[in-house]
Amino acid sequence: MAIWGLGTLLFALILVGGVAGHPSCGFPAIYSFGDNNSDTGEHAAMFADVGLPNGQTFFHGPSGRYSDGRVIIDFIAEAFGFPFLSAYLDSYKTNYRHGANFALGGSAIRGEHGFSHTSFLQQVFQFAQFKTRTTALFNKLGSDAAKNQSAKSILPRPEEFRKSLFIIDIGQNDFAFDLQHTSLEDTRKQIPEMVKSLVEPISMFLNGRYEARHSVIHNIGPFGCLPYHIKSYQKKNSTCALDQYGCVKELNEAVQEFNRQLKLKIAEARKANPNATITYVDVYSAKYNLISNAKNLGFEDPMKFCCGSYNDQYVRCGEQDSNGKLIGTACNDPSKYISWDGIHYTDAANKLVAKRILNGSLSDPPVSYAEACRI
Ligand SMILES: *[C@@H]1O[C@H](CO)[C@@H](O)[C@H](O)[C@H]1NC(C)=O
Ligand SMILES: *[C@@H]1O[C@H](CO)[C@@H](O)[C@H](O)[C@H]1NC(C)=O
Ligand SMILES: *[C@@H]1O[C@H](CO)[C@@H](O)[C@H](O)[C@H]1NC(C)=O
Ligand SMILES: *[C@@H]1O[C@H](CO)[C@@H](O)[C@H](O)[C@H]1NC(C)=O
Ligand SMILES: *[C@@H]1O[C@H](CO)[C@@H](O)[C@H](O)[C@H]1NC(C)=O
């Protein structure tokens, strides 16, 4: 999508490479799995477009993303010098040379606990099919005739799957969905099952014929700081305690409990898969840090959001009334907000989160994304 000048590429390599002297892994591609936070067009391809004002800042039109601009996985792809990852199900101008994105808005670790009835495991199966079919096609296009070369130029190289980086960011919808249908107490009881349903497919595809070897797992962000979910939860528990920034403490405690258990299970999975790398990234801290430093970073009150509104009733960003008039309008300057629509982050916020996580300072083991092949 973007044309990369030499300067940009060098900058990208420095950003992603972290400390000089540590050789990067030379990942040729990125495969992404997840939900709303990483979707680059999957939900739009399957259901309905994510309409304006979404996409207005960076893409100047709808781009299938829940943001005014880029999402975190876009900044990661940029840092590697890759084009943005095409959504697996998108049929328009797709390019899979440097990976694909299986993340789907509304998806949950456990499909029946999400808003789009697809699970993380299903995304892994989609990847398996993608790998088999693109490999077959690539091999079929074997000859070096010019026409075949242009068809091949948008396909992944079959030998590169095992050298690629797999990034997973999912789980927030499990909390959102369960809280909508049950109590916080019952939601918390589900945590071990959630962790198991996330780590088992990861072990599976790091093991067998999937040929995946290097993975990065994002933990869940501070769910209790999302303005939409704060308002919704206050209807459940009007006396719930807030922290100094206005986040719901007991919601953040619940996702932190999930994150603790996830980190432990990943340590076990690492032992069981000695030839694979699994890097755990504390995205929670990157996001919480942004919220707690909002003022210094030049943002508005982090409990405000730019697009749509939530007074008595939630007006979704991009929502139209029965006459087709836009009622979910955006603020004048999205770059002043952390939250775009009460649930998802702005381009400006995602950019800062990506910057904080890419160099490995929030990773366990503490390696940058570019070095995440080191066992
Ligand atoms: C994710 O998107 C779905 C719709 O695609 C929405 O119903 C859900 O509320 C969003 N997730 C969260 C955690 O808010
Ligand atoms: C592409 O490669 C296949 C297999 O090598 C060959 O049969 C076919 O004729 C080639 N097509 C073109 C347009 O060269
Ligand atoms: C409501 O919030 C208060 C204060 O955080 C807490 O003590 C109480 O247990 C919560 N009630 C429920 C039903 O979760
Ligand atoms: C790890 O890789 C080495 C070298 O390729 C191989 O001999 C060994 O069997 C692998 N171990 C596992 C558990 O896959
Ligand atoms: C990583 O980047 C963040 C944000 O730019 C910075 O605050 C931090 O000091 C960096 N850490 C290392 C180890 O370079």
Side-chain angles (χ1 to χ4, degrees):
M1 195 163 279
I3 312 263
W4 289 91
L6 187 61
T8 320
L9 187 62
L10 283 177
F11 169 73
L13 291 176
I14 290 164
L15 187 67
V16 84
V19 193
H22 289 199
S24 85
C25 304
F27 292 122
I30 295 172
Y31 292 94
S32 157
F33 304 82
D35 57 23
N36 311 27
N37 291 322
S38 320
D39 195 337
T40 59
E42 201 78 344
H43 193 276
M46 272 179 83
F47 301 105
D49 200 3
V50 186
L52 279 167
N54 288 289
Q56 67 170 26
T57 303
F58 186 82
F59 299 96
H60 309 296
S63 73
R65 290 161 176 80
Y66 300 92
S67 175
D68 60 315
R70 292 158 288 186
V71 292
I72 292 171
I73 193 71
D74 292 321
F75 289 105
I76 295 174
E78 273 187 11
F80 275 90
F82 297 158
F84 297 133
L85 300 181
S86 293
Y88 167 63
L89 294 175
D90 209 345
S91 53
Y92 177 69
K93 280 193 175 174
T94 47
N95 185 338
Y96 302 115
R97 177 65 189 86
H98 295 288
N101 191 0
F102 299 87
L104 169 69
S107 192
I109 296 171
R110 304 152 303 155
E112 70 282 15
H113 293 262
F115 302 97
S116 56
H117 305 286
T118 50
S119 63
F120 172 53
L121 183 62
Q122 278 165 305
Q123 293 184 22
V124 171
F125 288 152
Q126 287 181 324
F127 166 74
Q129 184 169 188
F130 174 83
K131 177 171 172 282
T132 314
R133 298 179 74 182
T134 56
T135 299
L137 179 57
F138 187 91
N139 293 335
K140 197 168 156 222
L141 293 169
S143 96
D144 59 3
K147 198 171 167 197
N148 277 356
Q149 286 313 304
S150 73
K152 280 167 93 167
S153 70
I154 57 166
L155 294 177
R157 300 282 177 274
E159 72 277 10
E160 288 181 355
F161 283 110
R162 65 186 178 82
K163 301 178 193 155
S164 298
L165 183 61
F166 293 77
I167 300 179
I168 296 139
D169 186 322
I170 195 165
Q172 188 173 301
N173 285 323
D174 293 72
F175 278 97
F177 185 91
D178 285 357
L179 281 166
Q180 200 171 304
H181 296 95
T182 61
S183 64
L184 178 58
E185 200 193 338
D186 285 342
T187 302
R188 290 187 77 139
K189 285 185 189 145
Q190 303 273 322
I191 290 174
E193 184 60 30
M194 283 176 68
V195 171
K196 186 164 170 271
S197 306
L198 177 55
V199 178
E200 273 178 2
I202 293 170
S203 290
M204 182 182 92
F205 87 107
L206 288 175
N207 250 318
R209 55 202 164 78
Y210 291 84
E211 290 192 275
R213 287 189 61 206
H214 305 298
S215 63
V216 167
I217 322 294
H218 293 175
N219 70 6
I220 299 183
F223 182 74
C225 299
L226 299 177
Y228 168 83
H229 289 290
I230 294 171
K231 287 245 185 188
S232 308
Y233 189 71
Q234 281 173 326
K235 288 184 183 162
K236 256 180 133 77
N237 185 354
S238 57
T239 61
C240 66
L242 304 178
D243 70 12
Q244 58 185 310
Y245 310 110
C247 308
V248 176
K249 280 185 177 172
E250 59 212 48
L251 290 182
N252 279 346
E253 280 159 15
V255 296
Q256 281 179 294
E257 177 57 30
F258 171 88
N259 289 341
R260 269 193 295 278
Q261 292 190 26
L262 176 64
K263 199 172 175 185
L264 290 173
K265 260 275 186 295
I266 285 176
E268 285 173 24
R270 241 180 241 131
K271 285 197 188 119
N273 301 282
N275 285 349
T277 63
I278 316 178
T279 306
Y280 168 90
V281 182
D282 187 7
V283 170
Y284 181 100
S285 292
K287 288 180 172 172
Y288 193 76
N289 196 274
L290 212 62
I291 289 158
S292 56
N293 279 308
K295 262 219 180 78
N296 298 335
L297 294 166
F299 289 114
E300 292 266 349
D301 174 353
M303 296 302 121
K304 288 187 179 164
F305 56 96
C306 172
C307 188
S309 58
Y310 196 169
N311 296 315
D312 289 332
Q313 218 186 331
Y314 183 52
V315 177
R316 202 170 27 81
C317 176
E319 192 168 319
Q320 300 178 353
D321 70 11
S322 53
N323 299 318
K325 183 175 175 286
L326 184 68
I327 50 170
T329 53
C331 62
N332 286 330
D333 188 357
S335 71
K336 290 265 175 292
Y337 291 79
I338 291 177
S339 183
W340 164 240
D341 60 2
I343 297 174
H344 310 99
Y345 290 71
T346 56
D347 183 277
N350 283 328
K351 183 179 194 165
L352 290 177
V353 172
K355 195 170 170 227
R356 277 154 200 244
I357 59 177
L358 273 163
N359 65 10
S361 55
L362 293 171
S363 296
D364 172 49
V367 290
S368 71
Y369 280 56
E371 299 168 286
C373 65
R374 299 214 265 130
I375 299 185

